[in-house]
PDB file of all heavy atoms in Angstrom:
ATOM      1  N   ALA I 130      46.146  27.303  14.158  1.00 97.00           N
ATOM      2  CA  ALA I 130      45.902  28.747  14.289  1.00 97.00           C
ATOM      3  C   ALA I 130      46.150  29.427  12.950  1.00 97.00           C
ATOM      4  O   ALA I 130      47.107  29.091  12.236  1.00 97.00           O
ATOM      5  CB  ALA I 130      46.814  29.333  15.355  1.00 97.00           C
ATOM      6  N   ALA I 131      45.290  30.372  12.610  1.00 97.00           N
ATOM      7  CA  ALA I 131      45.458  31.099  11.343  1.00 97.00           C
ATOM      8  C   ALA I 131      44.619  32.362  11.377  1.00 97.00           C
ATOM      9  O   ALA I 131      43.588  32.408  12.055  1.00 97.00           O
ATOM     10  CB  ALA I 131      45.034  30.226  10.157  1.00 97.00           C
ATOM     11  N   ASP I 132      45.085  33.362  10.659  1.00 95.00           N
ATOM     12  CA  ASP I 132      44.297  34.584  10.493  1.00 95.00           C
ATOM     13  C   ASP I 132      43.375  34.368   9.292  1.00 95.00           C
ATOM     14  O   ASP I 132      43.831  34.331   8.159  1.00 95.00           O
ATOM     15  CB  ASP I 132      45.227  35.768  10.260  1.00 95.00           C
ATOM     16  CG  ASP I 132      44.451  37.073  10.080  1.00 95.00           C
ATOM     17  OD1 ASP I 132      43.197  37.040  10.151  1.00 95.00           O
ATOM     18  OD2 ASP I 132      45.095  38.111   9.856  1.00 95.00           O
ATOM     19  N   LEU I 133      42.113  34.203   9.565  1.00 93.00           N
ATOM     20  CA  LEU I 133      41.157  33.868   8.495  1.00 93.00           C
ATOM     21  C   LEU I 133      40.420  35.095   7.973  1.00 93.00           C
ATOM     22  O   LEU I 133      39.512  34.974   7.149  1.00 93.00           O
ATOM     23  CB  LEU I 133      40.135  32.845   9.022  1.00 93.00           C
ATOM     24  CG  LEU I 133      40.722  31.554   9.589  1.00 93.00           C
ATOM     25  CD1 LEU I 133      39.643  30.726  10.278  1.00 93.00           C
ATOM     26  CD2 LEU I 133      41.388  30.727   8.502  1.00 93.00           C
ATOM     27  N   GLN I 134      40.809  36.286   8.466  1.00 90.00           N
ATOM     28  CA  GLN I 134      40.129  37.524   8.055  1.00 90.00           C
ATOM     29  C   GLN I 134      40.134  37.658   6.535  1.00 90.00           C
ATOM     30  O   GLN I 134      41.164  37.495   5.895  1.00 90.00           O
ATOM     31  CB  GLN I 134      40.846  38.754   8.650  1.00 90.00           C
ATOM     32  CG  GLN I 134      40.842  38.809  10.166  1.00 90.00           C
ATOM     33  CD  GLN I 134      39.493  39.223  10.744  1.00 90.00           C
ATOM     34  OE1 GLN I 134      38.667  39.782  10.033  1.00 90.00           O
ATOM     35  NE2 GLN I 134      39.269  38.921  12.013  1.00 90.00           N
ATOM     36  N   GLY I 135      38.980  37.942   6.006  1.00 88.00           N
ATOM     37  CA  GLY I 135      38.870  38.227   4.569  1.00 88.00           C
ATOM     38  C   GLY I 135      38.822  36.994   3.690  1.00 88.00           C
ATOM     39  O   GLY I 135      38.645  37.111   2.474  1.00 88.00           O
ATOM     40  N   ALA I 136      38.979  35.819   4.271  1.00 91.00           N
ATOM     41  CA  ALA I 136      38.965  34.598   3.452  1.00 91.00           C
ATOM     42  C   ALA I 136      37.516  34.160   3.216  1.00 91.00           C
ATOM     43  O   ALA I 136      36.801  33.855   4.165  1.00 91.00           O
ATOM     44  CB  ALA I 136      39.742  33.494   4.137  1.00 91.00           C
ATOM     45  N   LYS I 137      37.103  34.146   1.965  1.00 89.00           N
ATOM     46  CA  LYS I 137      35.714  33.757   1.654  1.00 89.00           C
ATOM     47  C   LYS I 137      35.573  32.239   1.597  1.00 89.00           C
ATOM     48  O   LYS I 137      34.593  31.677   2.026  1.00 89.00           O
ATOM     49  CB  LYS I 137      35.289  34.371   0.326  1.00 89.00           C
ATOM     50  CG  LYS I 137      35.116  35.878   0.408  1.00 89.00           C
ATOM     51  CD  LYS I 137      33.991  36.344  -0.504  1.00 89.00           C
ATOM     52  CE  LYS I 137      33.565  37.769  -0.220  1.00 89.00           C
ATOM     53  NZ  LYS I 137      34.633  38.756  -0.445  1.00 89.00           N
ATOM     54  N   ARG I 138      36.587  31.598   1.004  1.00 94.00           N
ATOM     55  CA  ARG I 138      36.585  30.133   0.966  1.00 94.00           C
ATOM     56  C   ARG I 138      37.958  29.647   1.436  1.00 94.00           C
ATOM     57  O   ARG I 138      38.985  30.176   0.990  1.00 94.00           O
ATOM     58  CB  ARG I 138      36.309  29.636  -0.461  1.00 94.00           C
ATOM     59  CG  ARG I 138      36.482  28.130  -0.587  1.00 94.00           C
ATOM     60  CD  ARG I 138      36.337  27.622  -2.009  1.00 94.00           C
ATOM     61  NE  ARG I 138      37.193  26.454  -2.204  1.00 94.00           N
ATOM     62  CZ  ARG I 138      37.256  25.742  -3.316  1.00 94.00           C
ATOM     63  NH1 ARG I 138      36.508  26.070  -4.358  1.00 94.00           N
ATOM     64  NH2 ARG I 138      38.076  24.714  -3.408  1.00 94.00           N
ATOM     65  N   VAL I 139      37.934  28.669   2.321  1.00 96.00           N
ATOM     66  CA  VAL I 139      39.192  28.121   2.839  1.00 96.00           C
ATOM     67  C   VAL I 139      39.222  26.616   2.559  1.00 96.00           C
ATOM     68  O   VAL I 139      38.239  25.911   2.814  1.00 96.00           O
ATOM     69  CB  VAL I 139      39.329  28.374   4.360  1.00 96.00           C
ATOM     70  CG1 VAL I 139      40.595  27.733   4.901  1.00 96.00           C
ATOM     71  CG2 VAL I 139      39.321  29.873   4.660  1.00 96.00           C
ATOM     72  N   ASP I 140      40.348  26.148   2.033  1.00 97.00           N
ATOM     73  CA  ASP I 140      40.554  24.711   1.818  1.00 97.00           C
ATOM     74  C   ASP I 140      41.643  24.228   2.771  1.00 97.00           C
ATOM     75  O   ASP I 140      42.568  24.991   3.097  1.00 97.00           O
ATOM     76  CB  ASP I 140      41.009  24.420   0.384  1.00 97.00           C
ATOM     77  CG  ASP I 140      39.899  24.643  -0.648  1.00 97.00           C
ATOM     78  OD1 ASP I 140      38.791  25.054  -0.253  1.00 97.00           O
ATOM     79  OD2 ASP I 140      40.177  24.432  -1.849  1.00 97.00           O
ATOM     80  N   LEU I 141      41.513  22.984   3.186  1.00 98.00           N
ATOM     81  CA  LEU I 141      42.561  22.359   4.012  1.00 98.00           C
ATOM     82  C   LEU I 141      43.178  21.239   3.179  1.00 98.00           C
ATOM     83  O   LEU I 141      42.484  20.302   2.768  1.00 98.00           O
ATOM     84  CB  LEU I 141      41.947  21.803   5.305  1.00 98.00           C
ATOM     85  CG  LEU I 141      42.885  21.011   6.221  1.00 98.00           C
ATOM     86  CD1 LEU I 141      44.087  21.849   6.662  1.00 98.00           C
ATOM     87  CD2 LEU I 141      42.132  20.517   7.453  1.00 98.00           C
ATOM     88  N   CYS I 142      44.475  21.380   2.927  1.00 98.00           N
ATOM     89  CA  CYS I 142      45.175  20.385   2.102  1.00 98.00           C
ATOM     90  C   CYS I 142      46.028  19.508   3.012  1.00 98.00           C
ATOM     91  O   CYS I 142      46.802  20.025   3.817  1.00 98.00           O
ATOM     92  CB  CYS I 142      46.078  21.072   1.084  1.00 98.00           C
ATOM     93  SG  CYS I 142      45.242  22.378   0.166  1.00 98.00           S
ATOM     94  N   ILE I 143      45.853  18.218   2.856  1.00 97.00           N
ATOM     95  CA  ILE I 143      46.664  17.265   3.617  1.00 97.00           C
ATOM     96  C   ILE I 143      47.741  16.735   2.665  1.00 97.00           C
ATOM     97  O   ILE I 143      47.426  16.179   1.604  1.00 97.00           O
ATOM     98  CB  ILE I 143      45.796  16.103   4.153  1.00 97.00           C
ATOM     99  CG1 ILE I 143      44.590  16.641   4.940  1.00 97.00           C
ATOM    100  CG2 ILE I 143      46.636  15.150   5.000  1.00 97.00           C
ATOM    101  CD1 ILE I 143      44.924  17.482   6.153  1.00 97.00           C
ATOM    102  N   CYS I 144      48.999  16.937   3.059  1.00 97.00           N
ATOM    103  CA  CYS I 144      50.110  16.625   2.157  1.00 97.00           C
ATOM    104  C   CYS I 144      51.038  15.591   2.795  1.00 97.00           C
ATOM    105  O   CYS I 144      51.052  15.425   4.023  1.00 97.00           O
ATOM    106  CB  CYS I 144      50.928  17.894   1.872  1.00 97.00           C
ATOM    107  SG  CYS I 144      49.916  19.300   1.371  1.00 97.00           S
TER     108      CYS I 144
END
Side-chain angles (χ1 to χ4, degrees):
Chain I
D132 180 1
L133 304 171
Q134 297 285 342
K137 290 214 167 62
R138 172 185 148 177
V139 177
D140 290 2
L141 175 58
C142 311
I143 307 300
C144 310

